[in-house]
Amino acid sequence: VILDINMQKALDGFAALGLPQSELRFDKGETADLMHRYQLGHFATDEFCRLVAAKCNPGTTPEQVALAWNNICIGIPERKLNAIKALKQRANVYLLSNTNDLHWQYCLDHWFNAGGNRCEDFFNQVFLSQDLHLEKPSAKIFEYVTKTIGAVRGTEVSGDITSDTIFLDDNIDTQKCS
């Protein structure tokens, strides 16, 4: 995991905006569905924020929703940034992330394009669920990425990934699909 997150902080932020208690979940409900569809790039940030704001206290602004949603992003420790940069100097490094535009922009603004950094200092290419309209652990997202970066011999991912490819993830379900 590159970005340290605290999902509860986002829910607390939404609670402070008056999102109903029944909607303060990531696993079910209308708001959870909005979050999931947003992560898959089914609608833009302004629409996501407007739709969530409409479920909160009257007068809640899309900007307040964006701030609450970004509360999930805790930070990327310098040691992780340095490790990725060092690896990038020796090998091709790709990022595949289930994320959305607000969180990705936050990461760019605070770490990957901040303090003299450029995103390309860390990654050869970035693959985001919001752009691909796919998410981990779907086999389709892995097939797309491995074919795109040339890490697959032949036409199938099924066990024929080149020997110089390493995939790291923190989700056991993702590891089963890779």
Side-chain angles (χ1 to χ4, degrees):
V1 177
I2 296 171
L3 175 65
D4 293 335
I5 62 171
N6 182 330
M7 296 173 83
Q8 187 59 49
K9 288 186 79 163
L11 294 178
D12 293 345
F14 287 145
L17 296 175
L19 190 69
Q21 187 68 34
S22 62
E23 292 292 316
L24 294 174
R25 305 176 60 132
F26 285 107
D27 59 343
K28 68 179 188 177
E30 288 180 34
T31 305
D33 183 58
L34 289 174
M35 291 180 220
H36 183 246
R37 291 186 7 226
Y38 177 51
Q39 180 168 284
L40 287 171
H42 291 178
F43 41 78
T45 296
D46 58 340
E47 185 176 2
F48 168 75
C49 292
R50 186 180 50 73
L51 290 168
V52 174
K55 296 178 160 300
C56 296
N57 291 331
T60 298
T61 66
E63 293 78 18
Q64 290 172 305
V65 170
L67 288 172
W69 186 225
N70 276 339
N71 280 337
I72 202 171
C73 303
I74 304 301
I76 303 176
E78 194 70 27
R79 66 180 168 73
K80 290 181 183 181
L81 294 171
N82 291 338
I84 297 168
K85 270 187 176 179
L87 181 59
K88 171 78 166 45
Q89 291 177 354
R90 299 176 59 194
N92 291 327
V93 177
Y94 302 92
L95 175 68
L96 170 58
S97 181
N98 287 346
T99 195
N100 57 76
D101 188 53
L102 276 170
H103 293 162
W104 179 241
Q105 288 302 317
Y106 191 88
C107 287
L108 289 173
D109 293 346
H110 288 83
W111 300 288
F112 297 130
N113 284 335
N117 292 325
R118 297 171 309 135
C119 189
E120 47 278 354
D121 296 335
F122 300 96
F123 309 108
N124 292 80
Q125 193 169 351
V126 173
F127 299 90
L128 306 175
S129 61
Q130 67 180 15
D131 299 329
L132 301 177
H133 309 292
L134 297 167
E135 65 185 343
K136 300 181 293 179
S138 166
K140 288 183 179 191
I141 198 167
F142 294 109
E143 290 171 6
Y144 176 82
V145 171
T146 54
K147 286 178 186 176
T148 301
I149 68 174
V152 176
R153 292 187 190 106
T155 59
E156 295 293 324
V157 173
S158 56
D160 201 16
I161 296 177
T162 60
S163 61
D164 60 349
T165 302
I166 299 171
F167 175 76
L168 305 171
D169 201 278
D170 65 327
N171 183 328
I172 193 70
D173 292 330
T174 298
Q175 293 171 12
K176 291 176 188 174
C177 291
S178 59

